[in-house]
Amino acid sequence: MDPHRIHTVEALRQLYDMPSERIVKMSFPFLDDHCLRFVAESPLVFVATMAESGMDCSPRGGRPGFVQAEDRHTLALPDWPGNNKLSSITNILTSDGGCGLVFLVPGVDIFLRVNGIATVTKAPPLLERLREEGRTPKAAIRLSVREAFFHCGKALRRSHLWQPDAWSVPRDMPSPGQVVKDQAGLADLSVEQIDAMYRKGLAEQLYSESPHME
């Protein structure tokens, strides 16, 4: 048995201070004006859901405001084409719908975290409001907000995500084509062919089905 493993919350709390009363009070069961503004400016959100095999987390992106607030208690996320595994929405349908969102806004050193219960819908009026680049999503995730709060941006500062001059960019990373070829065991396509398909998908098929890489 690992003698350094922490088994209880009580043992964990011996290492950390309790959160301040101010921090605790800044969590709300609805979206206040600051939360609504952050959602409207965010082009990127991470979606956490519960799968039978454990937790799953998936990114979603679009123009700022692609996630829409229907009111102070409800958010709607379009489901655009991806790899067609449908992991997030399948998890929602096969669980109690527990879902967590983490929103980012470029250059802003805080996160917005929103937790709640999600459902999946194909309601035409909502899908029409979520149109982007002339396309309408096939389905959307609708989140009933249970908790919303801002998270400090220390992780962003540590990662230097908004400071390009501090980025450490590796020069020997394999291309997407190399990864796909190795992991899928493709023998009939070259790395160059797969990379070309991938670039085409990014350029032309962000909002429509891709027959190549998806």
Side-chain angles (χ1 to χ4, degrees):
M1 180 179 293
D2 181 359
H4 302 291
R5 180 177 175 181
I6 298 173
H7 293 274
T8 66
V9 175
E10 289 75 13
L12 178 66
R13 272 298 169 193
Q14 292 179 13
L15 302 176
Y16 297 89
D17 293 334
M18 292 297 292
S20 68
E21 183 179 359
R22 173 178 56 85
I23 293 297
V24 173
K25 287 184 176 180
M26 290 175 62
S27 178
F28 304 99
F30 61 89
L31 302 166
D32 72 354
D33 289 346
H34 296 296
C35 294
L36 291 173
R37 175 67 188 280
F38 205 91
V39 170
E41 298 291 349
S42 175
L44 181 66
V45 61
F46 291 90
V47 182
T49 54
M50 176 63 76
E52 290 184 0
S53 58
M55 290 298 299
D56 179 76
C57 188
S58 175
R60 295 289 191 276
R63 291 184 175 179
F66 79 103
V67 177
Q68 295 187 13
E70 297 186 72
D71 52 46
R72 292 187 182 275
H73 298 273
T74 314
L75 291 174
L77 296 75
D79 190 68
W80 294 113
N83 57 18
N84 282 329
K85 290 176 66 178
L86 306 180
S87 297
S88 296
I89 55 179
T90 297
N91 293 342
I92 291 169
L93 294 173
T94 57
S95 71
D96 65 358
C99 181
L101 307 178
V102 176
F103 291 90
L104 285 82
V105 171
V108 179
D109 281 338
I110 53 175
F111 303 90
L112 174 63
R113 294 172 59 176
V114 183
N115 300 315
I117 301 298
T119 56
V120 182
T121 180
K122 59 175 184 177
L126 175 59
L127 299 185
E128 188 64 25
R129 292 197 301 272
L130 294 173
R131 282 175 62 86
E132 193 167 339
E133 297 294 325
R135 299 279 184 171
T136 303
K138 294 181 179 180
I141 295 171
R142 179 178 271 147
L143 184 79
S144 177
V145 177
R146 299 291 178 85
E147 180 183 38
F149 60 97
F150 285 100
H151 190 128
C152 79
K154 290 180 180 178
L156 290 168
R157 284 301 182 96
R158 295 185 189 111
S159 68
H160 300 288
L161 185 61
W162 308 140
Q163 291 86 42
D165 292 343
W167 290 351
S168 176
V169 182
R171 300 183 181 278
D172 58 349
M173 289 290 289
S175 70
Q178 185 68 65
V179 173
V180 170
K181 185 174 179 64
D182 291 345
Q183 293 188 344
L186 299 179
D188 56 335
L189 292 173
S190 68
V191 170
E192 291 74 20
Q193 288 173 314
I194 302 172
D195 277 331
M197 294 175 183
Y198 182 72
R199 289 192 297 270
K200 179 178 177 64
L202 290 181
E204 302 176 3
Q205 295 160 328
L206 289 181
Y207 297 93
S208 61
E209 299 290 348
S210 170
H212 301 300
M213 295 293 291
E214 304 301 325

